[in-house]
Amino acid sequence: MTRIFSGVTPSGHLTLGNYLGAIQRWVAVDQHQSPRQEDALFSVVDLHALTTEHEPARVRRLTRQMATLLLAAGLDPKVCTVFVQSHVEEHTRLSYVLECTATDGELRRMIQYKEKSAQQQTVRVSLLTYPVLMAADILAYRTDEVPVGVDQAQHVELTRDLAARFNQRYGHTFTVPRAVLPPVAARVMDLQDPVSKMSKSATTTAGSVFLLDEPAVIRRKVMRAVTDSGSEVEYDREERPGLANLLEILAACTGGEPEALAAEYDSYGAVKKDVAEAVVELLRPLQERHAALCADPGYLDGVLRDGAERARALARPTVDAAYRAIGLL
C-alpha cells in the first residue's frame, strides 16, 4: 500500500489556489489510493503557523476553519485520517531527533527561509528549523508520497536527505518519501500580481480569491484582475501572464485546456466574466457544506479527536524506534 501525507498551515484563509492546486487532488485521488484510513493522512499543521508573528486566537480560529473546509471539500473521515498536527505529540518528539541529524548549512539554504527572513527584522529560530518539523510530519508515518506544490518540493528533498542520512548512521528506521507535484495549470497566481503565487498570507487580499468569499466579492476580484497589453486573447504564460492565469483558472474549473479556451474568446472582459462565474459555481457547493458543518461543531470535534488518536497510534512506533536508534534510553 502507498501511504500519503500532506498538510496545510493555518497562516491565513484558504484560497482558490490551495483548492485547485492541492485540495481537489486530495479529495479526488489521494484519499482513495488505499482502502485503509491510515494510508491517507491530511493534517492542519498548526505548529508551522507559529514561525512568525501571529495572534493566538486567530491561529485557533483558522485551524478549525481549515479542518472544516477540508471536510466540506470532500475529505471523508471514513476513508482517510484528518487531524491537527499539535494534537499528535510525536511530531515534536521526532523533530528534535531530526534536528540532531540536520545541519545549519542545509537549513539556511532553504529558499523559503532566505525569502521570509529577509523580510523580517527579528527572525525566530523556528523559521529556520520548520523544514525539520515538516520532515518529522512526513517521516513519522513512514510516508511514501507527499503531494506538494512546487514551493515545498525543496523541503521534501531535505526530508529525503534526512531520512537517508539517519538510516545510514543509525540503522534503517524511516521510509524515504517522494514528492508528488501537482499537474500543469494547478499553480494559481495572484490576480493583481500574476508572476507571484496566490497566497493565503499575502499582505493584500485584492489578488486572492478565498474559499469563503461571497459571490459578489469573487466577481469583483476577478473583474479587476490585472491583464496584459494588447487585446488579442491567446495563451502565453511568458508574455501574457495575467491572461494566462485567468485561462488556467477557467481550465481548472471547467476541465478544459487553456490554449483551446483562448480560441473561444475575442475580449479580455468576456474571459473575466466567465472565469468569475466558473469560480463562483465551483465554490458554491463547498461553501454550502461548510455552512452545514459549522452548524454542528461537535461533529468536527469528533473527527479531529478520532483522527488524532489514529495518527498517534501510527506515528508512535516509528518515533520510538528513532529514539532507540539514535541512542536514547
Side-chain angles (χ1 to χ4, degrees):
M1 298 292 181
T2 298
R3 178 164 292 168
I4 292 169
F5 176 93
S6 199
V8 60
T9 305
S11 55
H13 296 285
L14 286 174
T15 70
L16 179 67
N18 299 127
Y19 185 66
L20 294 177
I23 297 171
Q24 264 196 338
R25 178 181 170 84
W26 295 355
V27 170
V29 179
D30 296 328
Q31 70 172 330
H32 299 294
Q33 289 202 19
S34 169
R36 304 188 307 176
Q37 289 169 298
E38 61 265 30
D39 284 331
L41 299 108
F42 303 99
S43 181
V44 180
V45 285
D46 53 343
L47 295 173
H48 292 301
L50 311 184
T51 59
T52 56
E53 190 67 29
H54 63 277
E55 181 187 344
R58 185 171 186 263
V59 173
R60 287 191 292 270
R61 184 170 64 252
L62 287 174
T63 297
R64 289 191 66 88
Q65 183 187 92
M66 285 189 178
T68 305
L69 280 169
L70 293 181
L71 298 179
L75 287 184
D76 185 350
K78 296 179 181 178
V79 174
C80 64
T81 299
V82 179
F83 68 102
V84 174
Q85 177 195 34
S86 64
H87 294 176
V88 181
E89 59 270 22
E90 277 69 23
H91 290 249
T92 50
R93 286 183 61 210
L94 182 56
S95 183
Y96 180 74
V97 167
L98 293 177
E99 284 183 15
C100 297
T101 309
T103 68
D104 175 78
E106 63 189 346
L107 295 184
R108 293 187 185 278
R109 286 194 294 271
M110 295 293 105
I111 295 172
Q112 287 207 1
Y113 173 73
K114 291 181 179 179
E115 293 178 348
K116 292 183 179 181
S117 62
Q119 300 169 6
Q120 302 174 29
Q121 290 184 331
T122 302
V123 181
R124 300 185 182 192
V125 172
S126 57
L127 184 63
L128 176 66
T129 61
Y130 101 84
V132 181
L133 177 57
M134 179 176 169
D137 299 337
I138 296 165
L139 297 179
Y141 300 100
R142 298 185 184 272
T143 302
D144 298 296
E145 293 184 355
V146 188
V148 291
V150 175
D151 57 332
Q152 292 292 329
Q154 186 185 34
H155 292 160
V156 179
E157 284 304 308
L158 174 67
T159 301
R160 290 172 54 84
D161 291 343
L162 295 180
R165 187 180 306 155
F166 190 99
N167 289 346
Q168 182 179 28
R169 290 179 180 176
Y170 307 114
H172 185 79
T173 306
F174 300 119
T175 298
V176 179
R178 57 186 176 275
V180 178
L181 299 179
V184 176
R187 186 176 171 87
V188 179
M189 312 306 282
D190 189 286
L191 296 178
Q192 293 298 313
D193 181 16
V195 297
S196 300
K197 188 183 73 167
M198 186 178 288
S199 172
K200 62 181 182 292
S201 55
T203 54
T204 176
T205 62
S208 296
V209 174
F210 300 111
L211 297 189
L212 294 179
D213 276 348
E214 295 182 356
V217 174
I218 294 172
R219 293 187 181 100
R220 183 170 64 250
K221 287 181 177 179
V222 174
M223 294 307 294
R224 293 178 178 176
V226 169
T227 48
D228 316 285
S229 60
S231 58
E232 185 179 356
V233 179
E234 61 180 357
Y235 178 71
D236 188 331
R237 167 52 71 183
E238 296 300 321
E239 297 298 325
R240 298 188 176 182
L243 179 59
N245 187 39
L246 292 172
L247 290 169
E248 289 177 358
I249 292 172
L250 184 59
C253 290
T254 62
E257 293 293 334
E259 296 88 346
L261 288 169
E264 300 177 10
Y265 295 92
D266 56 13
S267 73
Y268 290 176
V271 174
K272 288 182 175 182
K273 182 178 178 181
D274 282 0
V275 170
E277 293 308 315
V279 172
V280 167
E281 291 307 311
L282 178 74
L283 298 183
R284 188 186 305 279
L286 180 147
Q287 292 180 353
E288 291 173 351
R289 289 194 293 269
H290 176 267
L293 288 168
C294 287
D296 183 11
Y299 175 74
L300 176 66
D301 293 337
V303 168
L304 296 181
R305 182 178 58 251
D306 293 345
E309 290 177 359
R310 191 156 53 245
R312 203 174 297 121
L314 287 171
R316 185 174 297 125
T318 301
V319 177
D320 286 349
Y323 270 52
R324 290 192 297 271
I326 205 169
L328 300 177
L329 186 64

